Amino acid sequence: MAERRVGSAVFRFNLAPHLAIFRLVPQKGDAFPHYTAGQYIALRRENCRLTKKIARPDGTFEYAADMDENGNVRRGPVTHSYSISSAPFETEHEGWLEFYVILELDELGQPGRLTESLFLVDPGEDDKIIYYTKIAGEFTLGKLAKGFHNVVFVGTGTGLAPFASMLKQLNHDALLGRTTDTRYTLFHANRTARELGYHATLHAIQEGGKIDFLYVPTVSRPVASDNHDPHVGRGRASNVLRYAYDLPMREEELLREAGGNGEARTRAQAALDRIVRPQLPSHVSKEGLRKRLDPGSTIILTCGNPKAMEDIKRVAALAGVRFEKEEW
Ligand SMILES: Cc1cc2nc3c(=O)[nH]c(=O)nc-3n(C[C@H](O)[C@H](O)[C@H](O)COP(=O)(O)OP(=O)(O)OC[C@H]3O[C@@H](n4cnc5c(N)ncnc54)[C@H](O)[C@@H]3O)c2cc1C
């Protein structure tokens, strides 16, 4: 049975105020269990602001702060799973696990219970994070991608985490002479270029050429400084994949489905007007990309935003490609 241990955060890198990479070392005298790239572990903090489910007058539900009789928010432990973004070889050498985490915010801008507490973590100060001594998960290349010549990863936001682990491990194995003839392609989208976690590492793996790897990073809400990097394209990952398969953007489909006039059409048109259209990074050609997406020999693995994953599933079905996702 998994037991609880108290680890310490030894490193935190903020890609943005709401997005960070954390490194966690195990409790003194302990070591993290061996794991395979793509797996996850449960993390917990003790002093989280708790919420409770409340029924709205219209019959729907929301989660609101759980207050005690004195009007203070109740505090307590919250545990969630996190995909490990370090590669197994890094943990073997260095001892730590790495995580790529976003601060959860609801539609009112209220932070999630555990991530609010995780984003208070300060190495050397408030640095304790509890972990469970079990690393689990079936979202691994060995379980899902055996026999496929083309493996396509689609990571939205922090959904990159398991793929960062896999690609770093594959590159390490190749450096040690353990190579395969599999082609790996990664679509990773985040809002802006600075939020593209592991960008330099992934670019270096591509340029190193030890594995057959094409890196397709894009930004869905570019800021002015994002125009300076020609290696970063534009658009949401699902729409970039649609572009590669010559499919219309999801917003174009929704406009067509909305039909003639009316409110639905106005809304769909407004969504289409707002969208950042797909544009590949300068080092990626559509023809070259298509060869790596051949339906007969390709599997698409995706992880991250549930809405984006739904659309990637739709794309995979339209293109006739095998599809697997990691549920968060
Ligand atoms: C296998 C796996 C791997 C994951 N890997 C990552 C990762 O690498 N990086 C990452 O950023 N995230 C990852 N996640 C998501 C992560 O586990 C958390 O769900 C996320 O960080 C939000 O946690 P939170 O406590 O801040 O938000 P919560 O407080 O849990 O809020 C999230 C939503 O849960 C609901 N909610 C709020 N209060 C309650 C309540 N009291 N009871 C029930 N539901 C409630 C609300 O709908 C809210 O919008 C992963 C999830 C899974 C399952």
Side-chain angles (χ1 to χ4, degrees):
M1 207 184 82
E3 290 170 22
R4 285 205 297 267
R5 301 267 197 276
V6 183
S8 307
V10 287
F11 170 86
R12 170 177 173 174
F13 175 68
N14 293 328
L15 295 108
H18 60 277
L19 188 66
I21 290 174
F22 295 95
R23 275 184 197 156
L24 181 69
V25 293
Q27 184 170 309
K28 211 162 179 218
D30 194 25
F32 290 118
H34 289 291
Y35 65 98
T36 304
Q39 292 191 302
Y40 59 83
I41 189 169
L43 302 180
R44 158 175 167 141
R45 293 261 289 174
E46 295 291 356
N47 200 23
C48 303
R49 287 151 55 94
L50 300 179
T51 55
K52 65 176 177 193
K53 200 173 184 179
I54 292 179
R56 296 190 185 113
D58 65 0
T60 59
F61 289 94
E62 65 179 307
Y63 290 96
D66 185 3
M67 313 296 274
D68 67 16
E69 49 289 350
N70 300 318
N72 299 316
V73 179
R74 283 185 218 280
R75 289 183 176 267
V78 176
T79 306
H80 283 311
S81 297
Y82 289 89
S83 295
I84 298 167
S85 58
S86 46
F89 83 89
E90 292 177 302
T91 307
E92 273 162 38
H93 291 177
E94 310 290 344
W96 36 253
L97 293 177
E98 202 165 85
F99 303 96
Y100 179 36
V101 181
I102 186 160
L103 173 65
E104 175 88 17
L105 292 175
D106 67 14
E107 58 277 15
L108 299 173
Q110 294 302 314
R113 294 162 297 163
L114 178 56
T115 50
E116 178 185 44
S117 177
L118 278 177
F119 274 75
L120 297 174
V121 161
D122 185 7
E125 300 290 333
D126 175 7
D127 60 2
K128 297 296 174 243
I129 299 177
I130 292 162
Y131 62 92
Y132 285 72
T133 57
K134 183 181 172 201
I135 295 182
E138 307 282 300
F139 195 68
T140 63
L141 289 173
K143 292 254 195 264
L144 301 173
K146 267 206 178 119
F148 287 92
H149 181 48
N150 298 303
V151 176
V152 175
F153 304 121
V154 188
T156 56
T158 52
L160 172 74
F163 307 135
S165 176
M166 290 172 190
L167 286 161
K168 285 187 283 181
Q169 186 66 38
L170 287 164
N171 188 59
H172 176 76
D173 291 348
L175 286 166
L176 297 179
R178 293 194 289 268
T179 53
T180 67
D181 64 354
T182 309
R183 294 195 289 208
Y184 299 94
T185 304
L186 167 68
F187 293 84
H188 181 216
N190 219 326
R191 286 183 290 195
T192 62
R194 72 176 181 148
E195 291 165 276
L196 289 168
Y198 300 95
H199 181 58
T201 303
L202 294 166
H203 186 68
I205 292 176
Q206 174 185 258
E207 296 304 298
K210 290 293 172 201
I211 56 173
D212 184 341
F213 171 50
L214 180 67
Y215 175 41
V216 190
T218 58
V219 289
S220 56
R221 293 189 211 163
V223 292
S225 56
D226 292 344
N227 297 329
H228 303 152
D229 189 346
H231 296 114
V232 175
R234 284 166 177 248
R236 283 207 321 265
S238 50
N239 275 338
V240 179
L241 190 63
R242 282 172 169 272
Y243 172 76
Y245 277 118
D246 284 327
L247 294 168
M249 292 189 296
R250 180 64 184 145
E251 290 73 15
E252 290 170 325
E253 276 183 359
L254 289 172
L255 182 64
R256 202 179 321 128
E257 284 165 21
N261 295 314
E263 211 179 299
R265 185 173 180 83
T266 310
R267 266 205 313 273
Q269 183 65 57
L272 180 58
D273 292 344
R274 275 198 308 272
I275 203 73
V276 172
R277 289 176 181 269
Q279 186 187 314
L280 296 173
S282 63
H283 65 283
V284 181
S285 76
K286 193 172 184 181
E287 298 65 40
L289 192 54
R290 273 302 278 271
K291 291 192 189 124
R292 308 174 74 91
L293 301 174
D294 159 55
S297 56
T298 299
I299 181 165
I300 295 177
L301 303 179
T302 187
C303 181
N305 174 296
K307 212 167 138 202
M309 291 204 296
E310 267 316 297
D311 194 38
I312 292 155
K313 185 177 182 183
R314 216 175 280 121
V315 174
L318 288 167
V321 180
R322 175 74 179 273
F323 168 89
E324 295 285 347
K325 68 175 174 177
E326 174 73 319
E327 295 278 3
W328 277 13

